[in-house]
Amino acid sequence: SIRGPGQVAAMSVFETKSKNVGLMQAERGFDVTIVCTSDPQQAAFWQARLEQAKGTVIPASSSVVAVDEDWDGGAGNFLGSLYAWRKACAKHKELSGKDLEAELKAGASVAIYQTAGKGTRLAPLPGAENNNKPGVKLPAPGCPSILECVIRQTGAYAASRKRRVSVFWGDQVFVS
């Protein structure tokens, strides 16, 4: 059958979206996943949750390091990311005995997900998750959280980010 220009364009958009969704596989994710949270309780939550999600949200071989931003008054985006890196290096050494900076230099891909904040613009939804903004569930199969979707989406970049630290916001879900 002969297709009109609109049908070809629509098919191309569908094929592109399907290809992009195909890139969002856990095994395509970062070698090290760092989550920076608002408090120690959220850090403990995400440490446990992502350890359990290995092979489905993050690669089975990925290291997970969840830290809290305890900078008095908040550090802001740039300093907060540097501070999270510093805390994650220390915690990674404590958890695994490995030097995170050496792993990065050797070719690891590292992602920092900034999730600190109260989620006031998203209220009242974070209240259902103990004010854990990235923990808000999305209406999708399996009820994934916002952060889990962000991790899967951004994991597509990991292969091109070796020897680099990439910083993402825990609520930056890409919608197309």
Side-chain angles (χ1 to χ4, degrees):
S1 72
I2 299 175
R3 295 184 195 173
Q7 290 173 315
V8 172
M11 186 58 130
S12 176
V13 168
F14 176 77
E15 290 169 352
T16 300
K17 286 183 179 185
S18 294
K19 181 181 172 192
N20 290 342
V21 169
L23 292 174
M24 294 179 220
Q25 303 300 317
E27 292 307 316
R28 292 183 180 263
F30 288 86
D31 298 317
V32 180
T33 301
I34 299 168
V35 179
C36 182
T37 69
S38 296
D39 58 53
Q41 293 78 20
Q42 286 186 19
F45 170 83
W46 285 110
Q47 183 74 40
R49 175 120 177 180
L50 293 175
E51 288 286 354
Q52 293 173 349
K54 286 185 175 184
T56 57
V57 175
I58 61 172
S61 61
S62 183
S63 296
V64 176
V65 185
V67 297
D68 64 292
E69 184 185 298
D70 55 4
W71 188 306
D72 191 29
N77 294 345
F78 179 69
L79 289 177
S81 296
L82 292 177
Y83 188 57
W85 168 255
R86 190 173 124 213
K87 287 189 77 172
C89 285
K91 185 169 181 181
H92 186 63
K93 182 84 163 178
E94 179 185 310
L95 292 173
S96 68
K98 297 178 182 176
D99 181 336
L100 187 51
E101 192 171 336
E103 287 185 52
L104 183 65
K105 287 179 183 175
S109 59
V110 178
I112 297 175
Y113 295 91
Q114 289 285 11
T115 69
K118 296 177 184 171
T120 52
R121 289 184 299 268
L122 197 55
L125 296 175
E129 299 296 334
N130 295 318
N131 290 327
N132 184 352
K133 174 179 60 174
V136 171
K137 305 288 188 289
L138 296 177
C143 295
S145 69
I146 292 174
L147 180 58
E148 290 164 327
C149 289
V150 171
I151 290 171
R152 287 194 61 167
Q153 288 180 323
T154 57
Y157 301 115
S160 66
R161 306 295 297 169
K162 298 291 183 182
R163 294 183 182 84
R164 294 181 180 180
V165 177
S166 300
V167 179
F168 302 100
W169 310 120
D171 55 0
Q172 77 179 48
V173 177
F174 305 126
V175 180
S176 62

